[in-house]
Amino acid sequence: MDQLEVRTIELFSGAGGLSLGLKRAGFEIIQAYDSSNRAVEVYRRNVGSHVWQADLKNIFEIGPKLSALAPHAVVGGPPCQDFSAAGDRIEGERAAMTLVFAMLVCIAKPEWFIMENVPRASKSKAWAEARIMLVRAGYGITQTTLNASYYGVPQARKRLIVIGRLGERDGFLDSSLAAARSQEPMTIRHMLRNDLPDDVMLSSADAFYTRPFYSGRGVRTLDEPAPSVIRTTRERPRPHYLCSPHPGDPIPAAQAAILTQAQVSRIQGFPSDWEWGNTPCREIDQMIANAFPAPLAEAIGNVILTRAAGRSIPQIEGHFGQWLWKRYGMSKASIRNIKTRLNRGRRLLKGRTFSEEAAEGAALESCEHFRQLPKGTRSDIRTALKIYRVWQIESLLPEEPTDRASAVLEAVAA
Ligand SMILES: C[S@@+](CC[C@H](N)C(=O)[O-])C[C@H]1O[C@@H](n2cnc3c(N)ncnc32)[C@H](O)[C@@H]1O
């Protein structure tokens, strides 16, 4: 894959939040699909004409099309209502779209995929089955939950993020995603400073109200992120809430600002000039609520492109140093040396982690830079990579070393 060319197909593209963010990061979106005509219209108006109305259940029809396009990445957020806290959580046709996503990835076989959903999806039967398919197809998987407010979005929206790359070890992007997280969450005041400096009404308010889930808090100060946007976020407080407010409200809900649709759209990461066309108001609210915030997509896209270009390596995990000390009685200096050699090996491998040891070895030996190193240095790097692999096996099964781990250990020691 050319480092800077990531030809991408988005499935379940909605109004286009995910595509917008990935485009900003540098992905080339070559095709997008959604079953909703209205969403397709909004996407076409703002993102591009490469979007099509289609029911993605028709795998026989869509699969060959995707395969023919030979994408480098397939991305998408299958419908989440069957999993989400706001829905009834019975796994029906919408949950099955997670399987459809996985099947289409397996058919198109891109180097990368990104799937996003609500955090609860990680516990679903649909995702368990989808994951098995993707692993069997050869994808290493990074699966994590990210809070959008730490990735440039003024909203405490948590999302399950699954990133797959062919041939990787699971967790290959964990440390890079963690490193991209900001120290502090983005707040509504930050948004007003950066993007909506003329919004006098909201800027001068002490707090704002958003329709809570069940018994959640309704009122927040401008120095907090908004809660996760839902279709009804900008509804006024109901009499029931006004009579029995949440004890954590900083001011009475009746005195708090009510967000406008434009403000909620900005909180979801859509730019101020986003055009919703003639879409009915309620449907705009739904599309906004469904969206994946573009700044979060951009941050994830940057992490992926940096790794694809070989400019980042995964951080050494867990207690590797401690394990070296316990198992081999290594000194601090020796542990440092092993880690330095391991990181050097990983840089030569352009950050790839390789699920298969043989593939890692072959990639290393075929690397021109590696071949030019002195024999002793090459041997040190090979050993460091091998030892790390043993540690990874043992750290998964901490009680007893496995036969395979023991065999590799003996070979390394010999
Ligand atoms: C969570 S939203 C996607 C949001 C999108 N990623 C964004 O950032 O705006 C899920 C989308 O799946 C679409 N959808 C639901 N069932 C579908 C199907 N059978 N085929 C295609 N799209 C479908 C919905 O219309 C909705 O736009």
Side-chain angles (χ1 to χ4, degrees), residues 148-385:
S149 67
Y150 290 90
Y151 294 86
V153 183
Q155 184 194 163
R157 190 179 188 85
K158 289 191 182 152
R159 279 297 177 267
L160 169 71
I161 309 294
V162 184
I163 302 173
R165 188 182 192 187
L166 284 173
E168 291 290 325
R169 286 186 69 90
D170 287 348
F172 64 99
L173 267 188
D174 281 346
S175 58
S176 295
L177 288 171
R181 186 181 193 271
S182 62
Q183 292 286 321
E184 300 295 330
M186 185 174 178
T187 65
I188 294 296
R189 203 179 294 285
H190 291 136
M191 175 185 85
L192 290 166
R193 244 181 246 143
N194 299 346
D195 307 329
L196 299 172
D198 300 332
D199 197 328
V200 182
M201 285 291 281
L202 188 54
S203 300
S204 59
D206 293 322
F208 62 101
Y209 172 84
T210 54
R211 172 105 190 269
F213 275 147
Y214 308 110
S215 54
R217 180 152 67 97
V219 184
R220 283 169 174 74
T221 72
L222 301 187
D223 295 309
E224 297 178 72
S228 202
V229 165
I230 53 174
R231 186 183 56 75
T232 52
T233 283
R234 64 192 184 86
E235 278 183 7
R236 294 181 170 279
R238 294 188 177 174
H240 173 73
Y241 191 89
L242 293 172
C243 292
S244 50
H246 190 278
D249 284 357
I251 60 170
Q255 291 165 26
I258 304 295
L259 297 172
T260 64
Q261 191 173 60
Q263 287 161 349
V264 178
S265 166
R266 275 300 304 125
I267 290 169
Q268 266 287 53
F270 288 106
S272 312
D273 59 358
W274 196 260
E275 288 180 27
W276 296 100
N278 297 324
T279 318
C281 212
R282 191 185 151 95
E283 286 188 44
I284 298 177
D285 286 335
Q286 187 63 63
M287 275 188 235
I288 293 173
N290 280 349
F292 191 72
L296 176 57
E298 186 178 352
I300 293 170
N302 283 331
V303 165
I304 290 176
L305 290 187
T306 306
R307 179 63 59 82
R311 293 198 307 271
S312 75
I313 59 170
Q315 213 175 54
I316 296 173
E317 299 159 43
H319 304 292
F320 179 52
Q322 222 175 56
W323 178 82
L324 286 173
W325 170 70
K326 274 195 194 154
R327 177 163 276 282
Y328 296 103
M330 276 189 190
S331 65
K332 276 190 183 157
S334 303
I335 293 171
R336 232 187 349 263
N337 282 340
I338 295 264
K339 287 185 174 177
T340 306
R341 291 166 193 158
L342 172 62
N343 282 337
R344 188 164 185 192
R346 290 187 144 185
R347 277 194 295 276
L348 289 164
L349 291 168
K350 297 189 179 303
R352 298 224 55 169
T353 57
F354 296 98
S355 57
E356 299 294 329
E357 189 171 0
E360 182 173 83
L364 195 63
E365 302 304 330
S366 69
C367 169
E368 187 58 35
H369 220 90
F370 179 73
R371 288 208 299 264
Q372 287 167 4
L373 295 171
K375 196 171 163 202
T377 312
R378 276 184 282 149
S379 167
D380 287 345
I381 292 173
R382 278 190 208 105
T383 304
L385 285 165

Side-chain angles (χ1 to χ4, degrees), residues 106-128:
C106 292
I107 292 170
K109 215 66 192 289
E111 183 174 345
W112 296 86
F113 75 81
I114 311 173
M115 193 194 83
E116 62 87 10
N117 215 301
V118 292
R120 277 176 206 274
S122 68
K123 307 263 187 294
S124 67
K125 183 166 167 277
W127 169 237

Side-chain angles (χ1 to χ4, degrees), residues 10 12-18 34-36 54-56 77 79 97 290-292:
E10 180 172 3
F12 309 102
S13 51
L18 180 57
D34 198 281
S35 59
S36 152
D55 184 342
L56 291 168
M97 291 303 132
N290 280 349
F292 191 72

